[in-house]
Amino acid sequence: MSAIVVYESIYGNTRAVAEAIVEGLGGAQVLRVNDAPAKLESADLIVVGGPTHMHGLASSHSRRMAVEAAKEDGGTVVEPGAADGPGLRAWLRELRAGEGACAASFDTRLDKPPALTGVAARGIARRLRHCGFELLGSESFLVEDAEGPLEQGELERARDWGTRLAGEIRARGTAVTEVAR
């Protein structure tokens, strides 16, 4: 199984979740969105995630605002290049799927009802389906505050989710092989 995890992160929480998902997958390529190609031909699975900003996907404006707020705060650590580049929203507009490609979406968001926080994973999932991917799942990982840290147990939950996604891809590969015989 080949998998790619693409993420956007401002404070490092979404990056940490992406890395935990990679561990659960049993290894995969993990790419910041600014380093990810628009055509992912060789992957059996792509997993895409980002932080929830203003009830949905981060925009160039919301990323700049978050970085500026962190600078004013003085104590918040910001990911290198967090406000640079087109970001996840623009990358998803350019993304092209390979035939039969599977995907999953995730986000990081505050531990409050989705009606109050929004859920970026929903927008990511909708865009992935629009690009022609078959969606296997969508998940939110919770942070204690807007800048983090992640709630206790969220990295373990991310690893477990990665393991479940890998199992589903392996099961699909077996089913395809059996049908082909």
Side-chain angles (χ1 to χ4, degrees):
M1 175 195 79
S2 65
I4 297 172
V5 178
V6 177
Y7 72 92
E8 177 175 52
S9 188
I10 306 294
Y11 305 113
N13 300 302
T14 310
R15 175 185 43 78
V17 169
E19 291 169 351
I21 291 168
V22 166
E23 289 174 24
L25 289 168
Q29 187 176 12
V30 62
L31 298 169
R32 283 178 3 127
V33 67
N34 295 346
D35 301 326
K39 179 96 171 135
L40 302 171
E41 297 172 355
S42 63
D44 298 315
L45 171 69
I46 70 161
V47 182
V48 181
T52 300
H53 281 204
M54 300 178 180
H55 289 275
L57 276 151
S59 66
S60 58
H61 178 69
S62 71
R63 285 184 287 135
R64 280 193 308 274
M65 285 177 40
V67 169
E68 287 302 315
K71 284 180 186 174
E72 289 174 15
D73 176 39
T76 303
V77 177
V78 176
E79 292 277 292
D84 300 338
L88 196 56
R89 190 181 288 258
W91 180 78
L92 284 164
R93 270 195 299 272
E94 302 298 320
L95 182 62
R96 299 293 170 255
E99 190 174 320
C102 294
S105 67
F106 73 95
D107 66 16
T108 51
R109 65 178 182 82
L110 287 171
D111 187 7
K112 304 233 185 272
L116 296 176
T117 64
V119 181
R122 289 180 188 157
I124 296 168
R126 184 177 62 251
R127 286 166 174 84
L128 288 168
R129 280 193 293 274
H130 180 75
C131 291
F133 287 91
E134 179 183 349
L135 198 70
L136 299 183
S138 190
E139 194 66 48
S140 288
F141 298 94
L142 305 175
V143 294
E144 292 179 8
D145 195 9
E147 297 87 16
L150 287 161
E151 295 234 343
Q152 189 169 2
E154 291 300 274
L155 292 178
E156 292 80 13
R157 211 165 61 77
R159 270 187 222 88
D160 291 345
W161 190 58
T163 300
R164 286 194 307 274
L165 289 171
E168 188 161 342
I169 290 295
R170 281 192 291 277
R172 286 168 175 265
T174 301
V176 169
T177 302
E178 289 174 2
V179 170
R181 286 184 200 172

